[in-house]
Amino acid sequence: MSQPLVVVASDAFEHNMLAFSGGPASYMNALALAGLLPVQLPTIAEPIDPSALLDVASGVLLTGARSNVHPTQYGVAETEEAAPFDHLRDRTTLPLIRAAVKRGIPLFCICRGIQEMNVALGGTLFIALHDVPGRDDHRSTPQADTDVWFGLKHNVEVDEGGLLAKILGAGPVHVNSVHRQAIDKVAPGLRVEAHAHDGTV
């Protein structure tokens, strides 16, 4: 049996005045440790049709990123507070998500990834969750000690009867929190399976 292939989203960024496509190696290491073959789908100026990869993929991983989904993708005007953006990633990942869902390929979405999934399927986002009345500040300050930066911060309550509850059991799970945007209107066809105590998905 061949090694299962997982398509991994990439970020577009500049380094030494050159355009790059890639992402944190921690995601690729985690997939490799699980016995999977991570294959990054590049985000470049030339549009790419991922069909050939999806034909052989066992799953798709939408990673976290420094950038945010551009507000115009969910019908909101661009603001400075919504930045930074990665238009090339938006152009690559949003159709990728729709194609994976259409084919029934499992998606694992982390941070920006879950926001991309919600937007790709017709949902919206809070641009600045910390400014929403009644919501906590879910941001974290980048620092050299990544154990502190990505450390566990708060509980989420897993809803009874969902798929996540079958894996983890219902009740609280302690998680990290490093985002300033979050799901607002949930996309049609998606079911929320866990909430932070302030109601954040």
Side-chain angles (χ1 to χ4, degrees):
M1 182 175 171
S2 60
Q3 192 176 22
L5 183 151
V6 175
V7 179
V8 183
S10 300
D11 303 316
F13 59 96
E14 289 190 4
H15 178 67
N16 287 341
M17 297 179 290
L18 296 173
F20 278 74
S21 173
S26 55
Y27 294 110
M28 271 49 77
N29 286 331
L31 291 169
L33 283 169
L36 305 170
L37 175 62
V39 177
Q40 287 185 299
L41 181 65
T43 47
I44 55 177
E46 187 66 25
I48 293 177
D49 181 354
S51 297
L53 264 180
L54 293 177
D55 285 344
V56 295
S58 295
V60 174
L61 173 63
L62 279 295
T63 64
R66 180 175 175 269
S67 65
N68 297 312
V69 179
H70 198 277
T72 56
Q73 296 287 352
Y74 49 97
V76 177
E78 177 181 333
T79 64
E80 185 177 339
E81 190 170 25
F85 306 120
D86 184 340
H87 296 283
L88 294 181
R89 173 158 169 158
D90 289 347
R91 190 181 69 187
T92 303
T93 57
L94 300 181
L96 174 67
I97 291 164
R98 296 181 195 112
V101 168
K102 186 175 182 179
R103 289 170 176 248
I105 297 173
L107 290 165
F108 186 32
C109 304
I110 301 169
C111 197
R112 188 196 210 266
I114 197 171
Q115 295 164 15
E116 287 171 321
M117 178 179 66
N118 192 57
V119 170
L121 300 179
T124 64
L125 304 176
F126 290 118
I127 285 176
L129 183 64
H130 50 279
D131 288 338
V132 177
R135 300 300 177 102
D136 292 341
D137 190 341
H138 290 261
R139 295 173 294 178
S140 182
T141 304
Q143 51 194 288
D145 187 342
T146 54
D147 287 337
V148 174
W149 181 7
F150 295 104
L152 302 179
K153 298 288 192 304
H154 63 79
N155 285 340
V156 295
E157 198 70 30
V158 178
D159 297 344
E160 291 185 20
L163 295 175
L164 191 59
K166 290 179 182 177
I167 299 169
L168 300 176
V173 177
H174 209 48
V175 300
N176 68 354
S177 188
V178 291
H179 57 100
R180 64 187 180 87
Q181 297 198 329
I183 291 175
D184 181 6
K185 177 188 171 188
V186 178
L190 295 183
R191 180 179 67 198
V192 177
E193 300 227 347
H195 295 86
H197 74 89
D198 63 352
T200 299
V201 176

